[in-house]
mmCIF file of all heavy atoms in Angstrom:
data_model
loop_
_atom_site.group_PDB
_atom_site.id
_atom_site.type_symbol
_atom_site.label_atom_id
_atom_site.label_comp_id
_atom_site.label_asym_id
_atom_site.label_seq_id
_atom_site.Cartn_x
_atom_site.Cartn_y
_atom_site.Cartn_z
ATOM 1 N N THR A 4 251.305 -87.312 -36.366
ATOM 2 C CA THR A 4 251.449 -87.954 -37.666
ATOM 3 C C THR A 4 250.385 -87.497 -38.650
ATOM 4 O O THR A 4 250.550 -87.727 -39.838
ATOM 5 C CB THR A 4 251.406 -89.492 -37.518
ATOM 6 O OG1 THR A 4 250.177 -89.871 -36.859
ATOM 7 C CG2 THR A 4 252.605 -90.019 -36.759
ATOM 8 N N SER A 5 249.401 -86.785 -38.186
ATOM 9 C CA SER A 5 248.416 -86.220 -39.120
ATOM 10 C C SER A 5 249.039 -85.118 -39.990
ATOM 11 O O SER A 5 248.497 -84.732 -41.018
ATOM 12 C CB SER A 5 247.184 -85.636 -38.383
ATOM 13 O OG SER A 5 247.591 -84.556 -37.584
ATOM 14 N N ASP A 6 250.274 -84.665 -39.612
ATOM 15 C CA ASP A 6 251.002 -83.677 -40.365
ATOM 16 C C ASP A 6 251.792 -84.277 -41.540
ATOM 17 O O ASP A 6 252.399 -83.585 -42.321
ATOM 18 C CB ASP A 6 251.966 -82.903 -39.480
ATOM 19 C CG ASP A 6 251.259 -82.193 -38.333
ATOM 20 O OD1 ASP A 6 250.059 -81.908 -38.464
ATOM 21 O OD2 ASP A 6 251.919 -81.928 -37.310
ATOM 22 N N LEU A 7 251.807 -85.621 -41.613
ATOM 23 C CA LEU A 7 252.637 -86.316 -42.625
ATOM 24 C C LEU A 7 252.328 -85.940 -44.064
ATOM 25 O O LEU A 7 253.216 -85.824 -44.884
ATOM 26 C CB LEU A 7 252.568 -87.819 -42.409
ATOM 27 C CG LEU A 7 253.563 -88.630 -43.225
ATOM 28 C CD1 LEU A 7 255.019 -88.184 -42.988
ATOM 29 C CD2 LEU A 7 253.443 -90.112 -42.889
ATOM 30 N N PRO A 8 251.055 -85.736 -44.452
ATOM 31 C CA PRO A 8 250.811 -85.352 -45.841
ATOM 32 C C PRO A 8 251.565 -84.048 -46.248
ATOM 33 O O PRO A 8 252.029 -83.940 -47.383
ATOM 34 C CB PRO A 8 249.303 -85.142 -45.913
ATOM 35 C CG PRO A 8 248.769 -86.049 -44.870
ATOM 36 C CD PRO A 8 249.802 -85.992 -43.747
ATOM 37 N N VAL A 9 251.733 -83.126 -45.321
ATOM 38 C CA VAL A 9 252.460 -81.900 -45.582
ATOM 39 C C VAL A 9 253.991 -82.155 -45.465
ATOM 40 O O VAL A 9 254.782 -81.767 -46.348
ATOM 41 C CB VAL A 9 252.051 -80.781 -44.637
ATOM 42 C CG1 VAL A 9 252.980 -79.554 -44.757
ATOM 43 C CG2 VAL A 9 250.614 -80.359 -44.884
ATOM 44 N N MET A 10 254.384 -82.833 -44.434
ATOM 45 C CA MET A 10 255.802 -83.023 -44.166
ATOM 46 C C MET A 10 256.426 -84.119 -45.015
ATOM 47 O O MET A 10 257.635 -84.185 -45.176
ATOM 48 C CB MET A 10 256.041 -83.306 -42.680
ATOM 49 C CG MET A 10 255.568 -82.123 -41.807
ATOM 50 S SD MET A 10 256.081 -80.487 -42.431
ATOM 51 C CE MET A 10 257.836 -80.611 -42.271
ATOM 52 N N GLY A 11 255.612 -84.954 -45.616
ATOM 53 C CA GLY A 11 256.101 -85.934 -46.585
ATOM 54 C C GLY A 11 256.771 -85.274 -47.750
ATOM 55 O O GLY A 11 257.718 -85.816 -48.342
ATOM 56 N N LYS A 12 256.287 -84.094 -48.114
ATOM 57 C CA LYS A 12 256.905 -83.329 -49.222
ATOM 58 C C LYS A 12 258.325 -82.876 -48.868
ATOM 59 O O LYS A 12 259.228 -82.911 -49.682
ATOM 60 C CB LYS A 12 256.051 -82.121 -49.595
ATOM 61 C CG LYS A 12 254.694 -82.539 -50.162
ATOM 62 C CD LYS A 12 253.787 -81.336 -50.370
ATOM 63 C CE LYS A 12 252.423 -81.807 -50.826
ATOM 64 N NZ LYS A 12 251.472 -80.721 -50.902
ATOM 65 N N ALA A 13 258.494 -82.504 -47.586
ATOM 66 C CA ALA A 13 259.835 -82.130 -47.111
ATOM 67 C C ALA A 13 260.757 -83.347 -47.129
ATOM 68 O O ALA A 13 261.910 -83.270 -47.593
ATOM 69 C CB ALA A 13 259.759 -81.540 -45.690
ATOM 70 N N ALA A 14 260.223 -84.477 -46.644
ATOM 71 C CA ALA A 14 261.005 -85.709 -46.615
ATOM 72 C C ALA A 14 261.432 -86.123 -48.034
ATOM 73 O O ALA A 14 262.581 -86.515 -48.254
ATOM 74 C CB ALA A 14 260.232 -86.832 -45.946
ATOM 75 N N GLN A 15 260.501 -86.022 -48.985
ATOM 76 C CA GLN A 15 260.811 -86.409 -50.358
ATOM 77 C C GLN A 15 261.886 -85.534 -50.962
ATOM 78 O O GLN A 15 262.787 -86.029 -51.637
ATOM 79 C CB GLN A 15 259.552 -86.407 -51.216
ATOM 80 C CG GLN A 15 259.777 -86.941 -52.612
ATOM 81 C CD GLN A 15 260.240 -88.394 -52.620
ATOM 82 O OE1 GLN A 15 259.536 -89.273 -52.099
ATOM 83 N NE2 GLN A 15 261.434 -88.656 -53.151
ATOM 84 N N LEU A 16 261.837 -84.242 -50.712
ATOM 85 C CA LEU A 16 262.829 -83.337 -51.266
ATOM 86 C C LEU A 16 264.192 -83.640 -50.683
ATOM 87 O O LEU A 16 265.177 -83.700 -51.398
ATOM 88 C CB LEU A 16 262.446 -81.855 -51.029
ATOM 89 C CG LEU A 16 263.440 -80.925 -51.724
ATOM 90 C CD1 LEU A 16 263.062 -80.726 -53.172
ATOM 91 C CD2 LEU A 16 263.495 -79.584 -51.039
ATOM 92 N N LEU A 17 264.293 -83.834 -49.367
ATOM 93 C CA LEU A 17 265.574 -84.168 -48.756
ATOM 94 C C LEU A 17 266.106 -85.503 -49.314
ATOM 95 O O LEU A 17 267.291 -85.621 -49.589
ATOM 96 C CB LEU A 17 265.438 -84.256 -47.245
ATOM 97 C CG LEU A 17 265.108 -82.932 -46.519
ATOM 98 C CD1 LEU A 17 264.829 -83.155 -45.061
ATOM 99 C CD2 LEU A 17 266.252 -81.924 -46.704
ATOM 100 N N ASP A 18 265.211 -86.447 -49.530
ATOM 101 C CA ASP A 18 265.606 -87.713 -50.109
ATOM 102 C C ASP A 18 266.119 -87.515 -51.528
ATOM 103 O O ASP A 18 267.145 -88.100 -51.934
ATOM 104 C CB ASP A 18 264.385 -88.652 -50.097
ATOM 105 C CG ASP A 18 264.784 -90.110 -50.115
ATOM 106 O OD1 ASP A 18 265.561 -90.544 -49.210
ATOM 107 O OD2 ASP A 18 264.324 -90.861 -51.013
ATOM 108 N N ASP A 19 265.435 -86.684 -52.326
ATOM 109 C CA ASP A 19 265.867 -86.419 -53.689
ATOM 110 C C ASP A 19 267.256 -85.769 -53.717
ATOM 111 O O ASP A 19 268.033 -86.008 -54.633
ATOM 112 C CB ASP A 19 264.873 -85.492 -54.408
ATOM 113 C CG ASP A 19 263.545 -86.150 -54.666
ATOM 114 O OD1 ASP A 19 263.453 -87.405 -54.557
ATOM 115 O OD2 ASP A 19 262.555 -85.405 -54.973
ATOM 116 N N PHE A 20 267.548 -84.915 -52.727
ATOM 117 C CA PHE A 20 268.848 -84.297 -52.613
ATOM 118 C C PHE A 20 269.916 -85.179 -51.951
ATOM 119 O O PHE A 20 271.035 -84.750 -51.806
ATOM 120 C CB PHE A 20 268.745 -82.949 -51.861
ATOM 121 C CG PHE A 20 268.396 -81.776 -52.746
ATOM 122 C CD1 PHE A 20 267.085 -81.517 -53.060
ATOM 123 C CD2 PHE A 20 269.391 -80.978 -53.257
ATOM 124 C CE1 PHE A 20 266.746 -80.432 -53.875
ATOM 125 C CE2 PHE A 20 269.096 -79.891 -54.062
ATOM 126 C CZ PHE A 20 267.760 -79.609 -54.366
ATOM 127 N N GLU A 21 269.503 -86.383 -51.554
ATOM 128 C CA GLU A 21 270.388 -87.331 -50.896
ATOM 129 C C GLU A 21 270.966 -86.777 -49.578
ATOM 130 O O GLU A 21 272.152 -86.959 -49.287
ATOM 131 C CB GLU A 21 271.512 -87.826 -51.835
ATOM 132 C CG GLU A 21 270.936 -88.492 -53.097
ATOM 133 C CD GLU A 21 272.007 -88.919 -54.069
ATOM 134 O OE1 GLU A 21 273.129 -88.371 -54.043
ATOM 135 O OE2 GLU A 21 271.685 -89.824 -54.878
ATOM 136 N N ILE A 22 270.104 -86.107 -48.827
ATOM 137 C CA ILE A 22 270.506 -85.532 -47.568
ATOM 138 C C ILE A 22 269.941 -86.437 -46.472
ATOM 139 O O ILE A 22 268.727 -86.644 -46.377
ATOM 140 C CB ILE A 22 269.971 -84.074 -47.416
ATOM 141 C CG1 ILE A 22 270.677 -83.182 -48.436
ATOM 142 C CG2 ILE A 22 270.155 -83.590 -45.961
ATOM 143 C CD1 ILE A 22 270.119 -81.793 -48.530
ATOM 144 N N PRO A 23 270.785 -87.014 -45.636
ATOM 145 C CA PRO A 23 270.299 -87.913 -44.584
ATOM 146 C C PRO A 23 269.413 -87.123 -43.569
ATOM 147 O O PRO A 23 269.786 -86.049 -43.092
ATOM 148 C CB PRO A 23 271.591 -88.396 -43.866
ATOM 149 C CG PRO A 23 272.681 -88.125 -44.833
ATOM 150 C CD PRO A 23 272.258 -86.928 -45.636
ATOM 151 N N PHE A 24 268.248 -87.690 -43.274
ATOM 152 C CA PHE A 24 267.319 -87.032 -42.380
ATOM 153 C C PHE A 24 266.612 -88.075 -41.528
ATOM 154 O O PHE A 24 266.609 -89.269 -41.841
ATOM 155 C CB PHE A 24 266.318 -86.169 -43.139
ATOM 156 C CG PHE A 24 265.352 -86.968 -43.962
ATOM 157 C CD1 PHE A 24 264.084 -87.290 -43.481
ATOM 158 C CD2 PHE A 24 265.693 -87.413 -45.254
ATOM 159 C CE1 PHE A 24 263.198 -88.029 -44.241
ATOM 160 C CE2 PHE A 24 264.801 -88.113 -46.023
ATOM 161 C CZ PHE A 24 263.541 -88.450 -45.524
ATOM 162 N N GLU A 25 265.999 -87.585 -40.475
ATOM 163 C CA GLU A 25 265.143 -88.406 -39.641
ATOM 164 C C GLU A 25 263.776 -87.717 -39.592
ATOM 165 O O GLU A 25 263.677 -86.529 -39.865
ATOM 166 C CB GLU A 25 265.734 -88.552 -38.235
ATOM 167 C CG GLU A 25 265.824 -87.254 -37.481
ATOM 168 C CD GLU A 25 266.490 -87.400 -36.112
ATOM 169 O OE1 GLU A 25 267.175 -88.400 -35.858
ATOM 170 O OE2 GLU A 25 266.323 -86.469 -35.315
ATOM 171 N N ILE A 26 262.751 -88.494 -39.271
ATOM 172 C CA ILE A 26 261.412 -87.932 -39.162
ATOM 173 C C ILE A 26 260.716 -88.566 -37.961
ATOM 174 O O ILE A 26 260.711 -89.784 -37.846
ATOM 175 C CB ILE A 26 260.641 -88.113 -40.493
ATOM 176 C CG1 ILE A 26 259.290 -87.365 -40.473
ATOM 177 C CG2 ILE A 26 260.506 -89.534 -40.878
ATOM 178 C CD1 ILE A 26 258.659 -87.229 -41.839
ATOM 179 N N ASN A 27 260.211 -87.726 -37.075
ATOM 180 C CA ASN A 27 259.585 -88.214 -35.824
ATOM 181 C C ASN A 27 258.411 -87.317 -35.459
ATOM 182 O O ASN A 27 258.344 -86.178 -35.893
ATOM 183 C CB ASN A 27 260.602 -88.206 -34.683
ATOM 184 C CG ASN A 27 261.679 -89.251 -34.864
ATOM 185 O OD1 ASN A 27 261.425 -90.447 -34.841
ATOM 186 N ND2 ASN A 27 262.896 -88.776 -35.139
ATOM 187 N N ALA A 28 257.556 -87.844 -34.601
ATOM 188 C CA ALA A 28 256.469 -87.064 -34.008
ATOM 189 C C ALA A 28 256.808 -86.798 -32.524
ATOM 190 O O ALA A 28 257.159 -87.722 -31.802
ATOM 191 C CB ALA A 28 255.143 -87.825 -34.111
ATOM 192 N N LEU A 29 256.737 -85.540 -32.175
ATOM 193 C CA LEU A 29 256.919 -85.099 -30.786
ATOM 194 C C LEU A 29 255.902 -83.991 -30.530
ATOM 195 O O LEU A 29 255.641 -83.205 -31.461
ATOM 196 C CB LEU A 29 258.326 -84.569 -30.507
ATOM 197 C CG LEU A 29 259.463 -85.569 -30.532
ATOM 198 C CD1 LEU A 29 260.797 -84.836 -30.483
ATOM 199 C CD2 LEU A 29 259.355 -86.540 -29.398
ATOM 200 N N SER A 30 255.395 -83.870 -29.359
ATOM 201 C CA SER A 30 254.434 -82.850 -29.064
ATOM 202 C C SER A 30 254.912 -81.966 -27.914
ATOM 203 O O SER A 30 255.272 -82.473 -26.843
ATOM 204 C CB SER A 30 253.081 -83.491 -28.643
ATOM 205 O OG SER A 30 252.174 -82.554 -28.153
ATOM 206 N N ALA A 31 254.883 -80.680 -28.141
ATOM 207 C CA ALA A 31 255.284 -79.730 -27.093
ATOM 208 C C ALA A 31 254.348 -79.808 -25.898
ATOM 209 O O ALA A 31 254.757 -79.505 -24.771
ATOM 210 C CB ALA A 31 255.300 -78.324 -27.655
ATOM 211 N N HIS A 32 253.124 -80.253 -26.134
ATOM 212 C CA HIS A 32 252.131 -80.298 -25.038
ATOM 213 C C HIS A 32 251.966 -81.689 -24.441
ATOM 214 O O HIS A 32 251.734 -81.821 -23.245
ATOM 215 C CB HIS A 32 250.759 -79.780 -25.558
ATOM 216 C CG HIS A 32 250.831 -78.365 -26.036
ATOM 217 N ND1 HIS A 32 250.796 -78.037 -27.341
ATOM 218 C CD2 HIS A 32 250.974 -77.210 -25.368
ATOM 219 C CE1 HIS A 32 250.893 -76.724 -27.479
ATOM 220 N NE2 HIS A 32 251.013 -76.208 -26.277
ATOM 221 N N ARG A 33 252.094 -82.734 -25.255
ATOM 222 C CA ARG A 33 251.861 -84.087 -24.773
ATOM 223 C C ARG A 33 253.148 -84.797 -24.371
ATOM 224 O O ARG A 33 253.116 -85.713 -23.579
ATOM 225 C CB ARG A 33 251.093 -84.898 -25.798
ATOM 226 C CG ARG A 33 249.683 -84.383 -26.003
ATOM 227 C CD ARG A 33 248.909 -85.198 -27.025
ATOM 228 N NE ARG A 33 249.430 -84.968 -28.373
ATOM 229 C CZ ARG A 33 248.822 -84.234 -29.282
ATOM 230 N NH1 ARG A 33 247.706 -83.619 -29.025
ATOM 231 N NH2 ARG A 33 249.345 -84.083 -30.480
ATOM 232 N N THR A 34 254.298 -84.399 -24.974
ATOM 233 C CA THR A 34 255.596 -85.035 -24.598
ATOM 234 C C THR A 34 256.632 -83.937 -24.402
ATOM 235 O O THR A 34 257.689 -83.937 -25.029
ATOM 236 C CB THR A 34 256.018 -86.019 -25.695
ATOM 237 O OG1 THR A 34 256.180 -85.293 -26.964
ATOM 238 C CG2 THR A 34 255.063 -87.166 -25.896
ATOM 239 N N PRO A 35 256.388 -83.000 -23.488
ATOM 240 C CA PRO A 35 257.297 -81.867 -23.369
ATOM 241 C C PRO A 35 258.714 -82.272 -22.942
ATOM 242 O O PRO A 35 259.686 -81.658 -23.415
ATOM 243 C CB PRO A 35 256.659 -80.960 -22.326
ATOM 244 C CG PRO A 35 255.699 -81.877 -21.580
ATOM 245 C CD PRO A 35 255.277 -82.917 -22.577
ATOM 246 N N SER A 36 258.880 -83.249 -22.089
ATOM 247 C CA SER A 36 260.244 -83.626 -21.682
ATOM 248 C C SER A 36 261.018 -84.253 -22.800
ATOM 249 O O SER A 36 262.209 -84.025 -22.941
ATOM 250 C CB SER A 36 260.211 -84.540 -20.454
ATOM 251 O OG SER A 36 259.470 -85.721 -20.726
ATOM 252 N N GLN A 37 260.336 -85.014 -23.683
ATOM 253 C CA GLN A 37 261.013 -85.616 -24.851
ATOM 254 C C GLN A 37 261.424 -84.528 -25.859
ATOM 255 O O GLN A 37 262.465 -84.632 -26.473
ATOM 256 C CB GLN A 37 260.131 -86.665 -25.500
ATOM 257 C CG GLN A 37 259.993 -87.941 -24.723
ATOM 258 C CD GLN A 37 258.770 -87.922 -23.806
ATOM 259 O OE1 GLN A 37 258.302 -86.883 -23.359
ATOM 260 N NE2 GLN A 37 258.278 -89.107 -23.475
ATOM 261 N N VAL A 38 260.579 -83.515 -26.007
ATOM 262 C CA VAL A 38 260.929 -82.403 -26.906
ATOM 263 C C VAL A 38 262.160 -81.695 -26.395
ATOM 264 O O VAL A 38 263.100 -81.399 -27.167
ATOM 265 C CB VAL A 38 259.738 -81.405 -27.048
ATOM 266 C CG1 VAL A 38 260.175 -80.157 -27.813
ATOM 267 C CG2 VAL A 38 258.549 -82.075 -27.767
ATOM 268 N N GLU A 39 262.185 -81.387 -25.114
ATOM 269 C CA GLU A 39 263.338 -80.717 -24.514
ATOM 270 C C GLU A 39 264.614 -81.588 -24.674
ATOM 271 O O GLU A 39 265.665 -81.080 -25.061
ATOM 272 C CB GLU A 39 263.074 -80.397 -23.047
ATOM 273 C CG GLU A 39 264.204 -79.605 -22.411
ATOM 274 C CD GLU A 39 263.898 -79.240 -20.980
ATOM 275 O OE1 GLU A 39 262.753 -79.445 -20.503
ATOM 276 O OE2 GLU A 39 264.790 -78.726 -20.299
#
C-alpha cells in the first residue's frame, strides 16, 4: 500500500473514464500463492 501515491493516479484516471476497476495489494514474495 506504500505504492498508493503512485497508483492512485491510475485509479483516478480509470475513474474519470468510468472504467470499472479493482485495486488490491499482493506480494510476489510475501503472498505468492495468492498472486498465482
Side-chain angles (χ1 to χ4, degrees):
T4 55
S5 65
D6 302 336
L7 190 56
V9 171
M10 299 315 295
K12 294 173 185 174
Q15 186 60 60
L16 185 83
L17 293 172
D18 205 55
D19 292 345
F20 273 84
E21 300 177 339
I22 293 172
F24 68 96
E25 63 184 19
I26 187 166
N27 292 292
L29 291 171
S30 170
H32 299 107
R33 294 181 290 256
T34 60
S36 59
Q37 288 93 334
V38 171
E39 184 177 351

